[in-house]
């Protein structure tokens, strides 16, 4: 889950205003960049930009905007080295950086890049800067390879973030900071309740879309009774496209056959689902009584990708399902699966528009409450708009207060989202050093509120898309220190992903899979 954007603390920026989409393509990109520097997120301004353009201009505008954001801080340092005097006007700096991107990264013809960028300065009513814009761009155009090498030599991150990554990941620092400047690949999650990864790959082949199957193995230790534990191993398969593709070109996308989801993000639902099955199996071995109702929680659930994946696993007619596998004669055949007759799923998030996004995604995947009821699989879904730092299950009941009601909790925690900078390069502009401490406090508040609502023997999977240790392993170490009933579950050597931490595992966006930066920690309540 991405934390809400925070405006950079820069007193040279103007107050945020409505985004005006007129003028040349470059002018519209410049205005979009100014809006981002004023605190608006890329996700909120990208569609207005593209929708304002003719189809023939959309590709160039998208490349110009995204490349400028990815190289933003490196370009700023280059600009400072080229200017005789400091350039304080943010509009002028942005205009020049857009010109530099055309010359250094997009291979736009010199005369076109320089002339159109100078004209853009006039259009945004900064005609007094045209001489400066022209002079700097002409200097770079004389030897673009030299200035490209200078720009690429170091990172393109704010210095505070680069410093923190150096502290956290000294061995991976150079590769990591360069990797964050690159575009991320597009991954697909296939709905296992509908088709297989292999069959969907064939469908993609038929649509002339090239994709590789990526398989990740996860191993961890789970309790199988009150006195013993064993290792469990599971496999997660997804598809990595050779080239990013519009979703409307994907076979049966509108029918819910596949979803766009990073490969490392696809680990969450299988892990918590497997842990939950281990809990139920342990209960079955400890007592003759069958637990025929379970309650699970997806906290901070928007936009709903991990929730949908979990629902797909629950409703799939295979070994991943919490229900018994049924044969054609409708008789229960599995001897190892716990006998479940009723599953209650609660999902919460704290903003109404984000709740609506969850509903829309589930609707496309045929996983809405209506769809689940029609399927007659005894899954009850309740989506709640609530603050995870204060929300308590059943708080409207007279005697309910922090009940231990959940068998499993998936906490896709708010974070600074530094692990997804490749997909959301605006993060490197919007985040500040102060955000880390504030986010860590928010995470702790959510953990402290949700933990009492987890049953003894239940599991909580803590997930972030951050690569900063303060939000990840250090957060978990602090939590366990203050909660004697929290036990960290060990991920075993069977894991084919991530880097082992004191607690949990950390994925970095530089491994062979090329997925995003994610952290996973699995806790059991003793």
């Amino acid at each position: 889950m991405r934390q809400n954007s925070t405006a950079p603390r820069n007193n040279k920026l103007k107050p945020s205003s409505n985004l005006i989409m007129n003028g040349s393509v470059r002018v519209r990109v410049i205005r979009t960049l100014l809006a981002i520097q004023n605190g608006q997120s890329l996700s909120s301004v990208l569609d207005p930009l593209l929708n304002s353009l003719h189809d023939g201009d959309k590709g160039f505008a998208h490349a110009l905007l995204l490349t400028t954001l990815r190289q933003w801080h490196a370009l700023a340092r280059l600009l400072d080295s080229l200017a005789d005097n400091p350039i304080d006007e943010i509009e002028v700096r942005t205009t020049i950086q857009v010109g530099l991107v055309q010359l250094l990264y997009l291979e736009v013809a010199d005369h076109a890049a320089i002339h159109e960028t100078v004209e853009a300065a006039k259009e945004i009513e900064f005609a007094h800067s045209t001489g400066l814009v022209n002079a700097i761009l002409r200097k770079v155009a004389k030897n673009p390879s030299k200035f490209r090498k200078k720009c690429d030599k170091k990172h393109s991150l704010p210095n505070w973030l680069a410093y923190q990554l150096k502290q956290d990941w000294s061995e991976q620092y150079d590769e990591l900071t360069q990797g964050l400047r690159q575009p991320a690949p597009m991954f697909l999650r296939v709905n296992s309740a509908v088709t297989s990864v292999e069959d969907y790959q064939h469908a993609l082949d038929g649509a002339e879309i090239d994709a590789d199957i990526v398989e990740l193995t996860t191993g961890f230790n789970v309790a199988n009774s009150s006195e013993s534990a064993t290792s469990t191993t599971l496999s997660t398969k997804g598809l990595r496209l050779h080239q990013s593709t519009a979703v409307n070109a994907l076979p049966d996308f509108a029918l819910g056959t596949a979803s766009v989801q990073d490969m490392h993000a696809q680990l969450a639902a299988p892990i918590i689902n497997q842990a939950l099955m281990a809990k139920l199996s342990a209960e079955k071995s400890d007592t003759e009584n069958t637990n025929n109702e379970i309650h699970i929680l997806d906290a901070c659930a928007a936009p709903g990708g991990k929730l949908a994946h979990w629902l797909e696993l629950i409703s799939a007619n295979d070994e991943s399902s919490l229900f018994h596998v049924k044969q054609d004669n409708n008789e229960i055949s599995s001897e190892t699966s716990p006998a479940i007759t009723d599953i209650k799923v609660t999902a919460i998030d704290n903003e109404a528009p984000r709740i609506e996004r969850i509903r829309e995604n589930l609707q496309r995947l045929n996983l809405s409450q209506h769809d689940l009821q029609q399927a007659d699989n005894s899954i009850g879904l309740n989506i709640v708009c609530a603050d995870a730092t204060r929300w308590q299950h059943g708080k409207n009941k007279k005697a309910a207060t922090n009940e231990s009601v959940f068998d499993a909790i998936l906490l896709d925690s708010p974070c600074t989202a530094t692990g997804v900078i490749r997909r959301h390069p605006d993060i490197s502009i919007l985040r500040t050093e102060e955000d880390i401490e504030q986010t860590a406090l928010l995470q702790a508040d959510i953990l402290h509120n949700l933990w009492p609502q987890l049953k003894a023997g239940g599991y909580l999977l803590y997930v972030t898309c951050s690569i900063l240790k303060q939000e990840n392993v250090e957060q978990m170490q602090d939590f366990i220190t203050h909660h004697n009933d929290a036990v960290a579950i060990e991920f075993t050597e069977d894991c084919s992903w991530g880097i082992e931490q004191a607690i949990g595992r950390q994925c970095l966006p530089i491994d062979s899979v090329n997925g995003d930066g994610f952290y996973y920690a699995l806790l059991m309540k003793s």
Side-chain angles (χ1 to χ4, degrees), residues 174-349:
D174 290 336
E175 185 181 3
L176 180 58
T177 53
Q178 288 300 319
L180 290 174
R181 305 172 73 160
Q182 308 304 318
M186 181 175 176
F187 292 92
L188 299 179
R189 183 188 81 246
V190 178
N191 187 343
S192 59
V194 176
T195 187
S196 68
V197 172
E198 291 77 10
D199 286 345
Y200 196 73
Q201 184 187 39
H202 291 319
L204 290 174
D205 288 340
E208 298 185 344
I209 299 174
D210 295 326
D212 298 322
I213 294 178
V214 179
E215 183 172 5
L216 298 178
T217 302
T218 303
F220 56 90
N221 293 323
V222 295
N224 54 15
S225 72
S226 58
E227 298 179 352
S228 64
T230 189
S231 295
T232 184
T233 304
L234 62 142
S235 174
T236 304
K237 287 184 179 181
L239 290 166
R240 180 177 56 214
L241 303 190
H242 292 188
Q243 291 186 333
S244 295
T245 303
V247 294
N248 57 14
L250 299 173
D252 295 331
F253 184 83
L255 301 178
T257 304
S259 298
V260 177
Q261 187 179 39
D262 180 76
M263 194 64 217
H264 288 156
Q266 292 184 40
L267 292 165
I271 291 174
I272 190 60
N273 194 63
Q274 187 80 354
L276 176 56
M277 293 180 70
K279 173 187 182 295
L280 301 176
S281 295
E283 290 176 350
K284 185 177 180 181
S285 66
D286 278 349
T287 178
E288 296 181 357
N289 295 324
T290 301
N291 177 17
N292 58 10
E293 180 180 290
I294 63 171
H295 202 160
I296 62 180
L297 172 67
D298 186 345
C300 309
K306 298 178 182 67
L307 171 64
H309 194 187
W310 202 355
L311 290 171
E312 289 169 4
L313 293 177
I314 291 171
S315 57
N317 191 28
D318 59 24
E319 67 276 3
S320 67
S321 175
L322 296 175
F323 296 107
H324 279 286
V325 180
K326 295 185 179 181
Q327 301 298 321
D328 292 339
N329 60 6
N330 290 327
E331 291 181 356
I332 296 173
S333 63
S334 174
E335 296 180 357
T336 57
S337 297
I340 301 299
T341 61
D342 195 16
I343 300 175
K344 295 182 178 179
V345 181
T346 301
I348 66 172
D349 209 277

Side-chain angles (χ1 to χ4, degrees), residues 68-95:
T68 304
L69 288 171
R70 288 193 177 101
Q71 312 303 333
W72 184 263
H73 298 281
L75 291 168
R77 287 190 289 271
L78 176 62
L79 175 56
D80 289 337
S81 71
L82 292 169
D84 294 331
N85 298 301
I87 302 174
D88 292 330
E89 292 172 309
I90 199 69
E91 295 86 353
V92 177
R93 293 184 65 87
T94 301
T95 301

Side-chain angles (χ1 to χ4, degrees), residues 329-398:
N329 60 6
N330 290 327
E331 291 181 356
I332 296 173
S333 63
S334 174
E335 296 180 357
T336 57
S337 297
I340 301 299
T341 61
D342 195 16
I343 300 175
K344 295 182 178 179
V345 181
T346 301
I348 66 172
D349 209 277
N350 67 345
E351 294 181 6
R354 295 169 63 82
I355 292 291
E356 185 59 30
R357 180 79 183 279
I358 295 174
R359 297 187 191 279
E360 291 172 356
N361 285 333
L362 294 182
Q363 187 76 30
R364 181 184 67 83
L365 294 166
N366 304 307
L367 292 169
S368 68
Q369 179 60 72
H370 175 74
D371 295 319
L372 296 173
Q373 289 175 341
Q374 291 291 105
D376 192 29
N377 52 17
S378 300
I379 301 176
L381 175 62
N382 185 28
I383 302 175
V384 182
C385 186
D387 182 350
T389 64
R390 297 191 298 269
W391 177 83
Q392 295 177 10
H393 176 266
K395 65 180 180 180
N396 293 326
K397 300 176 182 178
K398 292 181 179 179

